[in-house]
Amino acid sequence: MSRFTQNPIAWIMLAVLIWGTILAIGAYQYNHMLMRFVMVFASTVGFLLFWAAALWVRQRRLDGERERTDRRL
């Protein structure tokens, strides 16, 4: 199995992306303004990128702490 299929956070992020896309399509269909689609979709993608960056920073911090702990032993 790949890392993606074993990671529940990745599945949640995919679900949020699908949900945001459906919302963006609905916003576009409201009055056929492409800018509504772009704003909703860009907000969803921006949120997911921020979340992914926060997870990446957290993982780097945890790896650094683990490395420092290993050196002490």
Side-chain angles (χ1 to χ4, degrees):
M1 282 188 156
S2 70
R3 285 184 70 190
F4 179 81
T5 57
Q6 294 176 348
N7 188 354
I9 298 284
W11 285 106
I12 293 169
M13 289 178 136
L14 179 63
V16 169
L17 180 64
I18 292 168
W19 178 62
T21 303
I22 292 169
L23 286 177
I25 291 168
Y28 172 75
Q29 289 180 346
Y30 177 68
N31 61 358
H32 299 285
M33 288 182 60
L34 185 59
M35 198 60 197
R36 284 182 181 264
F37 174 86
V38 171
M39 287 177 13
V40 174
F41 189 72
S43 297
T44 303
V45 171
F47 169 75
L48 290 171
L49 289 173
F50 178 77
W51 188 9
L55 289 173
W56 179 72
V57 167
R58 178 179 179 269
Q59 189 61 48
R60 287 194 58 195
R61 181 179 49 83
L62 291 176
D63 289 345
E65 289 175 4
R66 193 173 302 121
E67 185 178 306
R68 285 190 294 275
T69 304
D70 290 345
R71 276 194 236 147
R72 289 182 195 154
L73 299 176

